[in-house]
Amino acid sequence: MRRSSCARPYEVKPGVFVRCQSRRSAICPSCSAQQRGDWQRLARSGIWDADGQPVQGFRYFFITLSAPSFGAVHRVPKPWDSKRHNCACGGVHEPGDVELRGLPVDLDGYDYQGQARWHGAVSRLWASSVDAMRRREPSLEYFVVREVQARMALHVHAVVRVPDHTAESAVTLGMAARRATAAHPATGEFVAWGQKGVADREIRAKQARENGVAPDMSTAAARVVGYVAKALNYSLKDIVPGQDAADGDPSPERLEFVRRLRHAARFQVRCKHCPESGPVDCPKNAHRSLGYGGHTVTMSRPTKARAGWSFAHLTRRRIREERMVWAAANIAGEPGSGIGADEAFWAGFAADLRARRAREAWEARQHARAP
């Protein structure tokens, strides 16, 4: 039977395999690339119409929300940053000190449990931020990507769409979003966003040279997708960021930092689904993902009051169904295989839910054994 290039397929029944659907390129480049393509298509559907033309009458803001501090970390400049800043360790780092970027200055004094608890409340915190922004602009729609920074804390990138006649700006909406708070679903403690190191901006259209000619919205739309693509690439990085392939293996200090964060999320921080025995016996994904059990990418959905992000009401489920139909119509089964065309080319294109359940069932049996 012909199989795709998925690195770790799941056999959901004898002879039927489905993709692993991993978003991490270090685990499965094929599934990671497929998800990135799906997400980019969803992002474009909130900018262009079905004919490929930018929808007029809207402005787009790029808003970044970060985590608060859980302890001092090394401050290492990026290669393009000409400025050098004093680090909390007392020194001044160079761009070549990449192995230190995001690492705690004091590994023993870092608040690992606090970071894991904050991750457990990020979904509620983002929902609270959406409410705060919509109190200022009720027609607001969004497309959101969550990435892990070098300090292993989630960073939220949101492309926000508002009517072009709105009085709001990227600054006012960003300030409203960062003022929001939320209660942790298990502990009840209130959490908030970090207030430093972010810059909200409007993604503007290119102005025409001739008077009376409308701005070229296609350039603005391309820039929106460019921002989204950059955020998506960051979100698909391995769980141990800060190391490029040319830099070799992660340092022992970074591996120890990640190990302590994983230990806190797995064994020390409760989620709302934890049994009385605690997180060690809870199979929820949050305990295997540094405390965060939500989605990497989300977008506003249509309601009676709002149109939603996608002008075509596109969803990942609809994309999977279209892909299944195309595969069934264009890919023939191998002679003598005894299976249909869609199974020959991964009928699992439309069976992500089965793959996810199979993976979660297997991980639930294994999670307690992992360090």
Side-chain angles (χ1 to χ4, degrees):
M1 178 175 64
R2 176 175 54 190
R3 297 181 179 178
S4 90
S5 55
C6 176
R8 53 170 196 172
Y10 287 81
E11 189 173 14
V12 293
K13 64 181 180 180
V16 178
F17 294 83
V18 293
R19 284 180 172 269
C20 68
Q21 293 298 321
S22 175
R23 68 172 178 82
R24 292 168 53 194
S25 56
I27 296 297
C28 182
S30 176
C31 289
S32 175
Q34 185 184 89
Q35 291 205 42
R36 180 169 55 247
D38 289 351
W39 288 332
Q40 288 180 339
R41 184 178 173 188
L42 291 173
R44 290 193 295 269
S45 72
I47 306 168
W48 283 285
D49 59 21
D51 297 325
Q53 298 298 321
V55 178
Q56 303 292 327
F58 295 97
R59 297 163 64 191
Y60 296 89
F61 303 141
F62 191 76
I63 294 175
T64 302
L65 304 173
S66 63
S69 174
F70 302 101
V73 298
H74 289 283
R75 190 174 184 181
V76 179
K78 297 295 180 65
W80 55 84
D81 189 356
S82 60
K83 295 183 180 179
R84 300 293 183 266
H85 301 278
N86 293 328
C87 179
C89 68
V92 178
H93 297 299
E94 296 296 327
D97 300 327
V98 62
E99 73 280 356
L100 292 176
R101 182 174 291 126
L103 279 181
V105 174
D106 180 7
L107 273 174
D108 296 328
Y110 195 80
D111 188 7
Y112 300 97
Q113 294 187 37
Q115 185 164 319
R117 286 196 304 271
W118 188 84
H119 281 167
V122 165
S123 295
R124 288 192 174 188
L125 186 55
W126 168 247
S128 180
S129 293
V130 172
D131 291 340
M133 289 188 291
R134 280 179 170 163
R135 282 194 290 270
R136 301 185 67 95
E137 178 49 65
S139 301
L140 178 143
E141 306 291 353
Y142 61 83
F143 184 92
V144 176
V145 180
R146 298 162 183 84
E147 64 147 319
V148 178
Q149 294 176 294
R151 60 178 174 135
M152 305 304 294
L154 281 178
H155 208 57
V156 176
H157 299 288
V159 176
V160 172
R161 187 182 73 216
V162 296
D164 59 3
H165 57 73
T166 183
E168 301 299 327
S169 67
V171 173
T172 58
L173 291 177
M175 290 176 60
R178 269 183 288 280
R179 290 195 187 107
T181 60
H184 191 281
T187 66
E189 65 179 302
F190 279 89
V191 298
W193 299 106
Q195 303 298 317
K196 298 181 180 180
V198 293
D200 307 317
R201 63 186 70 91
E202 181 174 357
I203 308 173
R204 297 183 180 274
K206 182 179 180 180
Q207 296 293 330
R209 295 182 179 180
E210 297 82 3
N211 293 331
V213 178
D216 182 5
M217 283 302 298
S218 61
T219 58
R223 291 187 65 199
V224 171
V225 174
Y227 278 102
V228 170
K230 182 178 179 180
L232 286 173
N233 288 334
Y234 284 139
S235 73
L236 297 171
K237 292 183 298 188
D238 195 10
I239 198 66
V240 184
Q243 299 284 334
D244 296 328
D247 295 324
D249 295 329
S251 65
E253 292 79 8
R254 181 167 294 279
L255 292 175
E256 175 62 16
F257 175 45
V258 176
R259 187 197 69 79
R260 294 189 185 190
L261 281 172
R262 284 174 167 167
H263 186 273
R266 187 185 300 277
F267 300 112
Q268 297 174 336
V269 177
R270 298 180 65 93
C271 73
K272 64 180 180 179
H273 302 286
C274 282
E276 293 184 2
S277 56
V280 67
D281 294 320
C282 182
K284 291 300 180 179
N285 188 56
H287 301 292
R288 301 186 294 275
S289 302
L290 305 179
Y292 178 68
H295 296 284
T296 302
V297 176
T298 55
M299 62 182 185
S300 54
R301 298 299 181 92
T303 65
K304 292 182 178 179
R306 284 181 290 272
W309 169 260
S310 175
F311 290 114
H313 303 306
L314 197 64
T315 63
R316 286 202 69 201
R317 178 178 179 179
R318 179 176 167 184
I319 291 176
R320 291 193 297 266
E321 291 174 348
E322 291 177 356
R323 188 156 50 218
M324 182 194 68
V325 172
W326 180 91
N330 292 275
I331 307 298
E334 294 181 357
S337 64
I339 59 175
D342 55 343
E343 288 183 338
F345 193 71
W346 299 101
F349 279 144
D352 291 13
L353 182 58
R354 288 188 300 165
R356 190 178 304 113
R357 287 175 177 172
R359 182 174 71 250
E360 290 176 351
W362 181 84
E363 290 178 343
R365 296 192 297 270
Q366 301 293 325
H367 82 280
R369 305 180 199 174

